[in-house]
Amino acid sequence: MSDERFSVSTPTVPESAGGTPPERQIRLPLTPPATDELLSTLNPKSPVSEVLHLIKQRQHSADPSRQLKVRPSEYKSLLARLQQLPELQSFVNDKLRLEYNSLEEVLYIPRMPTAKHESFSERVSEETKAQLQRIKDGNDEAARFAARISSVRSGSIQLREIDSDDDTGIDRPYIQRQPDDQFQQDEAEYPGVVYEVACSQNSGDLRKAAWTYIQYSNANIKAVVGFELGYGTKKEARISMWKPRYLKDDGEGLETLDVEAVIDREVFRSSDGLAINTTKELHLPLDCFADSEVATFNSEELPGITITYPQLAEFLDKVERLQRTRQPVFGEESIGKKSRRRTKKRKRPPTPANQTV
């Protein structure tokens, strides 16, 4: 995962016939690019052609993530070109988290997420939802508030709180990110809690991502939780959590928004694969799940979400066992079970020209 994953402001297209959720739909420009811009996308040496080539590679391989310098006009041309390539556009909408940084003019093309990454994220999400459900079952203010919180998974977040001194040269810009999970109360404009999972060697990516979420949501995102699962065969795993912090600025009489690591890369599984820091826990008070305009109560005496470090280590152990079952390490015998029924494969009938598979 990289922190360089953003997008310029553009309206969404309607839900596709194939059922792509609206939050995963690619963003389209306000107006189609000029004819000469669109023709330039057909140039095999243009940035747009290079991006299209990399997207096609992602359909067939797990290449490393890439960052390319792309101007806003080129990004709009890319989206228009994708609209002419429905099969490729469907892949981008459904599978690839293609994101654009309009402030730095950088397009981020991620590698496809691994089973380890996706499964760990799902287990943390399910535990969070299970605890929210228990709170919902009550008959008090906390239950009524929790009943309106939903997981939005990796749906795109549009961060629109751009300062006027961020000279973008773009009308109504926003930054777009797609986390691994997010929890949003239905009265709030932004999710309150964001989860990001990293299976990489660069822990700085998570810190930068947390800064972006909090700063460019103007602290409406109140907690960003990051998980480092280790790279390759490394067993050590860490957790971090960032929250907004306000500093007094005597000069202008305004508060300065900062970002504070309240959990700073604490280990929950050692390099030997054992649970560590077993008395520690991730705790999210209920008022973290929405901004102060919505969460108007004092959550000190209300239940919250608590996941212990041993639980996190157990989630990761189960995820890795599943991954070994799915994809045995080279030289190891498969431990997974599968059908031994012998069959003869039938050729797929040809697809009519006016249909896609």
Side-chain angles (χ1 to χ4, degrees):
M1 158 189 148
S2 170
D3 116 280
E4 305 297 344
R5 301 190 296 172
F6 306 80
S7 175
V8 68
S9 174
T10 46
T12 59
V13 299
E15 185 171 342
S16 68
T20 302
E23 70 273 11
R24 296 297 300 274
Q25 291 286 340
I26 214 163
R27 302 301 193 249
L28 298 177
L30 290 171
T31 57
T35 302
D36 56 345
E37 290 181 14
L38 191 55
L39 289 175
S40 71
T41 68
L42 303 177
N43 180 351
K45 295 184 179 180
S46 72
V48 173
S49 294
E50 184 179 359
V51 172
L52 291 172
H53 176 70
L54 291 172
I55 293 173
K56 291 174 183 176
Q57 286 183 321
R58 285 290 190 277
Q59 290 181 297
H60 309 289
S61 62
D63 292 336
S65 60
R66 290 285 302 275
Q67 296 178 25
L68 295 89
K69 198 73 174 176
V70 176
R71 297 194 304 270
S73 61
E74 292 169 333
Y75 178 64
K76 290 186 177 183
S77 296
L78 169 66
L79 299 182
R81 185 76 180 103
L82 280 170
Q83 196 172 23
Q84 299 173 344
L85 302 168
E87 184 177 347
L88 205 60
Q89 185 183 44
S90 178
F91 171 72
V92 172
N93 286 342
D94 296 336
K95 302 293 183 183
L96 191 61
R97 299 177 186 177
L98 189 66
E99 301 178 359
Y100 183 61
N101 180 344
S102 63
L103 305 181
E104 299 184 11
E105 299 186 352
V106 172
L107 182 72
Y108 176 78
I109 305 177
R111 65 178 299 169
M112 299 300 290
T114 64
K116 176 180 177 179
H117 175 286
E118 295 287 86
S119 186
F120 181 83
S121 172
E122 176 68 17
R123 288 177 184 273
V124 176
S125 176
E126 288 299 320
E127 178 62 27
T128 304
K129 288 187 286 187
Q131 293 191 31
L132 284 172
Q133 183 59 54
R134 288 196 286 273
I135 298 173
K136 294 177 190 178
D137 290 339
N139 190 27
D140 54 9
E141 185 177 20
R144 291 186 291 274
F145 179 81
R148 304 181 72 169
I149 298 173
S150 302
S151 164
V152 194
R153 294 300 292 161
S154 61
S156 62
I157 302 176
Q158 298 168 7
L159 305 169
R160 292 177 289 273
E161 316 309 314
I162 310 295
D163 288 343
S164 58
D165 57 359
D166 285 327
D167 185 14
T168 65
I170 301 170
D171 184 35
R172 293 180 297 138
Y174 63 71
I175 295 170
Q176 180 171 299
R177 295 194 63 95
Q178 290 181 270
D180 290 292
D181 203 357
Q182 56 190 297
F183 289 84
Q184 184 161 353
Q185 212 267 6
D186 62 16
E187 290 182 288
E189 184 172 335
Y190 289 96
V193 174
V194 164
Y195 290 157
E196 285 278 14
V197 179
C199 297
S200 70
Q201 294 172 301
N202 188 359
S203 61
D205 288 345
L206 286 173
R207 288 196 300 273
K208 294 174 184 176
W211 187 92
T212 299
Y213 280 121
I214 292 172
Q215 289 284 342
Y216 287 111
S217 73
N218 197 31
N220 284 284
I221 295 176
K222 298 172 73 173
V224 178
V225 184
F227 303 95
E228 299 172 53
L229 303 188
Y231 183 78
T233 59
K234 292 183 179 179
K235 292 285 187 180
E236 186 178 84
R238 296 173 179 265
I239 180 175
S240 299
M241 179 164 67
W242 296 267
K243 289 186 174 183
R245 178 175 62 176
Y246 296 94
L247 306 175
K248 294 291 185 182
D249 188 342
D250 295 332
E252 298 182 8
L254 295 174
E255 292 179 312
T256 298
L257 175 60
D258 196 9
V259 178
E260 177 184 18
V262 294
I263 300 176
D264 192 4
R265 302 193 68 225
E266 292 184 353
V267 179
F268 64 84
R269 194 179 71 170
S270 70
S271 57
D272 297 326
L274 302 175
I276 198 169
N277 286 325
T278 55
T279 61
K280 292 190 174 184
E281 60 190 25
L282 166 67
H283 179 69
L284 294 165
L286 201 56
D287 62 358
C288 271
F289 286 84
D291 62 82
S292 57
E293 296 294 317
V294 177
T296 56
F297 50 82
N298 184 344
S299 67
E300 288 186 4
E301 297 182 1
L302 297 178
I305 304 304
T306 300
I307 305 177
T308 67
Y309 287 13
Q311 280 180 288
L312 293 173
E314 182 183 4
F315 294 162
L316 188 50
D317 289 343
K318 290 180 177 179
V319 163
E320 290 178 340
R321 283 198 296 271
L322 174 62
Q323 188 171 31
R324 287 196 301 272
T325 302
R326 289 165 52 92
Q327 297 175 318
V329 177
F330 181 75
E332 287 187 0
E333 185 176 349
S334 174
I335 60 174
K337 296 181 179 180
K338 59 184 178 183
S339 171
R340 298 184 181 275
R341 184 172 182 171
R342 298 184 64 187
T343 62
K344 182 170 64 175
K345 306 298 184 293
R346 181 182 179 183
K347 289 185 178 180
R348 188 185 64 160
T351 302
N354 62 343
Q355 295 182 14
T356 58
V357 177

